[in-house]
Amino acid sequence: MKKKKLLALLLSFSLAMSLAACGNDNAPDSNTATDGGAESSGADSAGGSADATNSAESGGNDVQAAGDTYTFYDYASALATNWNPHTWEMNADDAILSNYLASGFVDISILNTDEMLYQWTYEMATSVEDVTGEHQDDLTNYNVTLPEGQTAADTTEGYVFEIKLNPDAKWEDGTPINADSYIYSMKQLLDPDMKNYRANLYYSGESAVAGGEAYYFQGSTVWMDNSSSGNYAIDDLVLGDDGAYTTPDGAAVTILVKAQSAYLGGDTLAAYVEAYGEEYFNVADYEKLAELADEEGRVPLTEESLALLVSVISTQEAWGETADNAPSYLAYSKEFPVVDYDGVVGCYKVDDYTIRYVNQFYIDKNYFLVSCASTWLVYEDLYEAGKDTSGSLVTTNYGTSAETTMSYGPYRLESMQQDKQMVFVQNENWYGYEKDENGNLVSYTNFEVDGEKKQQYITDKVIINVMDNATAKQAFLKGELSSWSPDADDLVAYSTSDKLYKADETYTMSFFFNCGLDNLKTMDASKGNTNSVVLSNLNFRKAMSLAIDRNEYVSATAGYKPAYSLLNNLYYYDVYNDPSSMYRSSDEAMQAICNLYGVEYGEGTPYATLKDAYDSINGYNLTQAKELMAQACQELVADGLYTEGDPISIRIAWAAGALESSDTQQCELMNKYINAAAEGSGFGPITLEPIGNLNNRYADVSNGEYAIGYGAWGGAAFYPFRTFRVYCDPDYVQIHEAGCWDPATETLTLDVDGESVTMTWKDWSNALTGSGVYSNSDFDLKLSVTAQMEEEYLEKYYRIPLCATTASTLLSWQCEYYTDEYNIMYGFGGIRLLQYDYTDAEWAAYVSSQNGALNYE
């Protein structure tokens, strides 16, 4: 699926934010360059809530006394309803599978907490190897898709993977799990009579099994999404005598107007036009196009309809597309003959505990391992018993109740009361458990964490009750819940709690500017500002940044961590080959920020090393801010733009929704900071005013309605080299800071392997990706260029980083997660490494001693 569209990712992010209950309507923007779908592969939880940890070191529970138990009490606004791996739809359903009832072939866990290193670990597999070179006949036998000009004989990697299965794996009833179990399950997943919802993960996309599409669609004619299957260009198509386009083999071609589009992340063009209207689309031509749609929402591709489509998507610059993007909105028909599974689908048995998986397309082994973090496994007897053949499609009730569920994970579903409660207990037949001297189920990692094997899955029971967040808060404070996710207002009260844990997100909230002098003069004349022309001065903007005490800012407002740069600690430049490759920890990236803030290291300085210097940075230097303010005032007065002592009032495009108390508090702090810097400088009193209920604050700033906006960019954590497209390429997205400069014409000179190279900012932003001039260069070069661009861009002060967003959870005093340093690959260690400081009995006694009123502030 191509998630190129900015708004597609914004919609996805909005959903994620609502699930996280962060309560912040300052919805960040996504960096639309994604990471192969694996960005949050390490997220983990107990009962579906975000995990968290006490800052105290985990002690472990090596010897569990007979009768001692450890129960994790969680909550949800609604229970999962379907955890069948073939048909689940909601995140809550997937959480049941991934946390309790299933294990993947592989998993990601902690290797070293001090260095924040992750590792691949084997679970339902004992090994996963790329054996393409030894089995090139499979490429032909299963009709894989090879690059143009490449033959099977030339292909030695990226297609055929041999999975050695865990011989100790069993279902919860003790039935062994072997190769036959997986082959049966794959046949059911791709069964054309069932049309299982999750089959799309295996018949299309990066990890599609070879022949999966042919088996799933056999005996039917199907509309194939051009953006994920055919990838035909308009020039590849044939214009018939009837005026309609076809594929070269004569298949019909249509435009996806009201039908779902993979290019739009499963949404429809109609939905986007309805949501964003004339700001992004030519609505008049869309209405003409929509009138041509059939009952399935498709329009035959003709010269007329193609012209309308191009007009719809390319008329408004905000949507950022041209005629070259039109093929992504197309679908074509394809006929599939009836076939058998054997010999067609490239998932086959080698021996009782070995299967081979032939991928339809080339896939790097690391990305194949990502797909192996889950499996398609189902229990045959229950799956068959639950089948219903009365409708047009065969269905099964497998995985919808305790009676229809069979676990092969560390827990099993003991009981379920619809719309009330789910109870999970340890699965005694899970391969990882053994019994200790007291008869308790005990498990240790089959890998080392911080140099030794650790006890895992100490939790005996997980109970999830249905309740709203207000009820959950009261239950948590009475000791009846193990975790609780505060909303925005409550976060303020608990912002300094030792039990509040923040899972970092990639989004960096910033002030972004329209500092074009003509724009500022217009805003002063008719947009409600007074003397906002001061923002045209670089020293004023730099002083503003240095005046901000970010540590105080985030402690007084909820859900944030200080940020002094554009990219935070979640960004990796070579994550799969080098798990230590955090961009922010690289010498190049640290040096860039030290340069920005003027912090030196070495002999004669307070800091012995680059890391010491970098770690000292907090972005706050009131002394320098006051000096710069005085200098800015002199320059502005000399230029005739400002009269000394005059008041300054600047409206900030702050929020999409109504302002909340936290928004007001944030802006009050900003007023305190900027006036402290301006004291004695010659500037009059400065007032920053937050404005809410804005339809599009990003466009409003670049269009000259506001001089300052408050928002964020984020995403693409595993490929930071794409980042600067959102700041520098107006053909890619609408540049928030467009009122300040033109990156398509302004040039930048950088050092590339010791040589000075000059290009426009736009060209530099594209140089490291796609077909860019340095796209095939090594990571050292890309890292150097990215760090230089970050430094040079921040020195313009068109954007001032303030804080990184987080997802926040309180964990009870009873338990703690393994680490308090969040890592995007493994979270905080999850329920696997969850530790307890009290048994259930000890916890009950402690709660009683506190009269059922616990303090977490």
Side-chain angles (χ1 to χ4, degrees):
M1 177 178 68
K2 290 185 177 179
K3 284 191 175 180
K4 172 187 176 294
K5 299 309 305 168
L6 164 64
L7 294 175
L9 287 175
L10 279 174
L11 293 176
S12 299
F13 181 71
S14 297
L15 173 61
M17 294 294 279
S18 67
L19 291 172
C22 77
N24 179 10
D25 68 1
N26 290 314
D29 290 326
S30 272
N31 181 339
T32 55
T34 58
D35 300 293
E39 188 166 319
S40 59
S41 59
D44 48 36
S45 62
S49 302
D51 61 354
T53 178
N54 193 303
S55 57
E57 298 214 358
S58 54
N61 304 74
D62 291 338
V63 179
Q64 187 173 340
D68 283 349
T69 58
Y70 301 97
T71 303
F72 194 94
Y73 291 90
D74 213 335
Y75 72 100
S77 59
L79 294 179
T81 59
N82 170 28
W83 42 95
N84 176 352
H86 297 178
T87 58
W88 69 270
E89 296 187 36
M90 305 302 292
N91 287 350
D93 300 329
D94 182 44
I96 297 303
L97 276 172
S98 58
N99 289 319
Y100 308 120
L101 301 180
S103 297
F105 291 119
V106 298
D107 197 6
I108 295 174
S109 192
I110 300 169
L111 175 62
N112 184 293
T113 50
D114 289 339
E115 297 181 27
M116 297 186 73
L117 302 181
Y118 77 92
Q119 60 184 317
W120 290 108
T121 66
Y122 286 106
E123 299 294 337
M124 293 295 285
T126 58
S127 69
V128 178
E129 298 297 335
D130 186 338
V131 295
T132 305
E134 295 86 354
H135 297 280
Q136 291 173 321
D137 56 329
D138 278 348
L139 307 183
T140 302
N141 293 341
Y142 294 102
N143 195 29
V144 305
T145 303
L146 295 173
E148 185 176 351
Q150 185 172 319
T151 68
D154 301 328
T155 307
T156 59
E157 62 181 10
Y159 284 91
V160 186
F161 296 88
E162 187 163 280
I163 302 172
K164 295 287 188 182
L165 302 175
N166 186 340
D168 298 324
K170 296 180 178 64
W171 294 101
E172 69 177 72
D173 67 354
T175 301
I177 297 173
N178 54 31
D180 293 327
S181 309
Y182 287 96
I183 302 308
Y184 165 81
S185 299
M186 181 60 80
K187 286 181 179 179
Q188 299 305 307
L189 172 62
L190 296 174
D191 190 333
D193 293 328
M194 299 189 77
K195 292 292 186 286
N196 285 309
Y197 181 75
R198 289 292 163 184
N200 67 332
L201 299 175
Y202 294 89
Y203 69 70
S204 67
E206 290 181 340
S207 56
V209 63
E213 181 182 87
Y215 188 74
Y216 181 84
F217 289 115
Q218 63 177 293
S220 61
T221 300
V222 178
W223 285 106
M224 308 299 296
D225 195 306
N226 188 49
S227 69
S228 59
S229 297
N231 294 311
Y232 292 110
I234 298 298
D235 290 344
D236 297 329
L237 303 177
V238 177
L239 182 61
D241 294 337
D242 61 354
Y245 282 95
T246 66
T247 63
D249 57 5
V253 181
T254 62
I255 302 171
L256 298 170
V257 178
K258 299 178 182 178
Q260 289 182 339
S261 165
Y263 181 62
L264 297 178
D267 290 312
T268 67
L269 178 60
Y272 275 92
V273 174
E274 181 178 353
Y276 298 101
E278 294 182 353
E279 185 176 355
Y280 288 89
F281 303 99
N282 184 328
V283 175
D285 279 349
Y286 168 77
E287 291 173 349
K288 295 176 184 176
L289 184 64
E291 289 178 358
L292 304 175
D294 60 21
E295 60 183 12
E296 294 181 335
R298 299 185 182 90
V299 174
L301 186 66
T302 64
E303 289 185 309
E304 176 191 4
S305 62
L306 175 60
L308 289 171
L309 172 63
V310 170
S311 175
V312 170
I313 64 174
S314 65
T315 298
Q316 304 297 348
E317 292 184 3
W319 189 238
E321 292 190 336
T322 67
D324 291 340
N325 300 104
S328 297
Y329 295 88
L330 304 182
Y332 61 94
S333 64
K334 185 175 181 178
E335 295 183 6
F336 291 88
V338 175
V339 296
D340 292 327
Y341 180 94
D342 294 336
V344 171
V345 179
C347 180
Y348 62 91
K349 173 182 176 179
V350 176
D351 58 42
D352 285 347
Y353 286 97
T354 307
I355 62 174
R356 287 199 192 109
Y357 190 105
V358 185
N359 219 65
Q360 183 68 55
F361 310 100
Y362 171 82
I363 187 169
D364 179 85
K365 182 181 177 181
N366 288 299
Y367 286 100
F368 184 74
L369 288 177
V370 171
S371 72
C372 288
S374 61
T375 80
W376 56 90
L377 196 58
V378 294
Y379 186 72
E380 183 172 355
D381 290 351
L382 285 178
Y383 199 90
E384 292 294 333
K387 282 187 175 179
D388 182 350
T389 60
S390 61
S392 58
L393 293 175
V394 177
T395 61
T396 179
N397 65 1
Y398 182 80
T400 58
S401 67
E403 294 74 25
T404 61
T405 297
M406 187 67 70
S407 171
Y408 62 95
Y411 296 90
R412 60 181 175 84
L413 180 56
E414 182 182 59
S415 64
M416 178 177 180
Q417 299 178 58
Q418 195 67 38
D419 300 324
K420 291 184 179 180
Q421 185 185 79
M422 299 180 82
V423 178
F424 298 88
V425 297
Q426 288 175 314
N427 172 14
E428 63 183 10
N429 279 313
W430 183 60
Y431 55 82
Y433 286 127
E434 58 186 29
K435 287 190 176 180
D436 67 10
E437 59 194 50
N438 293 315
N440 303 302
L441 292 176
V442 177
S443 181
Y444 291 86
T445 58
N446 61 2
F447 51 89
E448 291 189 351
V449 178
D450 292 328
E452 62 181 347
K453 293 186 175 182
K454 301 289 185 179
Q455 189 175 357
Q456 62 181 350
Y457 297 114
I458 295 170
T459 303
D460 296 287
K461 180 182 291 189
V462 177
I463 300 175
I464 306 174
N465 289 300
V466 174
M467 58 182 71
D468 60 32
N469 206 52
T471 305
K473 174 183 179 180
Q474 298 306 314
F476 180 77
L477 296 177
K478 291 191 292 183
E480 297 170 357
L481 281 179
S482 302
S483 70
W484 168 57
S485 297
D487 59 23
D489 290 336
D490 282 320
L491 269 174
V492 175
Y494 296 101
S495 61
T496 59
S497 172
D498 289 338
K499 298 295 288 184
L500 179 67
Y501 306 104
K502 298 178 180 180
D504 292 350
E505 299 174 321
T506 60
Y507 298 88
T508 299
M509 299 297 295
S510 306
F511 279 151
F512 55 96
F513 295 91
N514 184 333
C515 56
L517 183 56
D518 290 340
N519 290 321
L520 292 170
K521 288 179 177 179
T522 299
M523 285 183 258
D524 285 338
S526 60
K527 305 293 183 181
N529 288 350
T530 303
N531 285 317
S532 66
V533 290
V534 297
L535 293 175
S536 65
N537 185 278
L538 172 61
N539 285 324
F540 186 94
R541 300 192 305 275
K542 183 175 181 179
M544 184 176 176
S545 176
L546 293 173
I548 299 169
D549 184 345
R550 291 163 174 83
N551 288 319
E552 180 188 38
Y553 180 74
V554 298
S555 68
T557 56
Y560 295 138
K561 286 187 174 182
Y564 325 112
S565 56
L566 293 175
L567 303 175
N568 66 16
N569 291 328
L570 295 186
Y571 286 85
Y572 291 78
Y573 57 86
D574 188 15
V575 67
Y576 292 125
N577 294 310
D578 180 4
S580 66
S581 62
M582 283 188 291
Y583 169 77
R584 199 72 274 155
S585 297
S586 69
D587 286 352
E588 292 85 348
M590 289 193 294
Q591 185 66 62
I593 302 307
C594 285
N595 292 345
L596 178 70
Y597 290 100
V599 181
E600 299 179 347
Y601 65 95
E603 187 176 353
T605 73
Y607 309 110
T609 67
L610 171 60
K611 189 174 188 308
D612 292 337
Y614 175 77
D615 288 344
S616 74
I617 293 172
N618 61 15
Y620 180 56
N621 189 330
L622 183 58
T623 300
Q624 187 180 4
K626 292 174 76 70
E627 293 172 355
L628 289 169
M629 277 291 185
Q631 185 176 344
C633 187
Q634 292 174 9
E635 292 168 349
L636 288 161
V637 170
D639 291 339
L641 296 174
Y642 177 72
T643 300
E644 188 170 340
D646 279 0
I648 299 167
S649 178
I650 304 173
R651 301 163 76 238
I652 300 178
W654 197 279
L659 295 177
E660 298 181 356
S661 58
S662 58
D663 298 316
T664 303
Q665 292 170 20
Q666 290 168 7
C667 202
E668 287 175 352
L669 285 172
M670 289 299 169
N671 275 301
K672 182 182 80 170
Y673 299 146
I674 196 170
N675 279 287
E679 184 179 5
S681 67
F683 286 118
I686 302 173
T687 302
L688 303 177
E689 179 189 359
I691 306 297
N693 292 317
L694 299 173
N695 182 50
N696 188 332
R697 62 190 183 280
Y698 302 103
D700 286 347
V701 172
S702 62
N703 291 337
E705 297 294 323
Y706 295 89
I708 307 176
Y710 185 45
W713 281 111
F718 299 159
Y719 207 78
F721 314 123
R722 293 186 177 108
T723 296
F724 285 92
R725 294 188 72 189
V726 301
Y727 303 112
C728 303
D729 186 355
D731 293 335
Y732 184 61
V733 295
Q734 182 182 31
I735 304 300
H736 297 169
E737 301 80 10
C740 302
W741 69 321
D742 181 5
T745 58
E746 187 171 324
T747 60
L748 170 68
T749 300
L750 299 180
D751 181 284
V752 181
D753 283 343
E755 295 185 8
S756 295
V757 179
T758 301
M759 288 192 282
T760 67
W761 280 84
K762 177 184 175 182
D763 288 342
W764 275 117
S765 74
N766 289 285
L768 307 180
T769 64
S771 59
V773 62
Y774 299 118
S775 60
N776 293 323
S777 299
D778 59 33
F779 284 118
D780 289 341
L781 185 149
K782 292 182 178 182
L783 182 61
S784 173
V785 169
T786 301
Q788 290 179 73
M789 289 191 72
E790 184 178 27
E791 177 186 347
E792 294 284 348
Y793 183 77
L794 285 171
E795 284 183 345
K796 290 179 173 294
Y797 291 92
Y798 293 158
R799 178 171 287 256
I800 297 176
L802 300 172
C803 49
T805 63
T806 64
S808 300
T809 298
L810 281 163
L811 204 64
S812 82
W813 295 111
Q814 184 187 11
C815 52
E816 55 185 329
Y817 278 84
Y818 182 81
T819 177
D820 59 355
E821 293 292 333
Y822 177 80
N823 184 289
I824 196 171
M825 300 301 285
Y826 53 71
F828 297 100
I831 194 172
R832 178 192 286 272
L833 297 177
L834 182 71
Q835 305 288 325
Y836 286 83
D837 296 318
Y838 299 86
T839 67
D840 290 344
E842 291 168 344
W843 179 244
Y846 174 75
V847 172
S848 178
S849 73
Q850 303 299 307
N851 297 315
L854 305 182
N855 181 21
Y856 289 93
E857 294 185 18

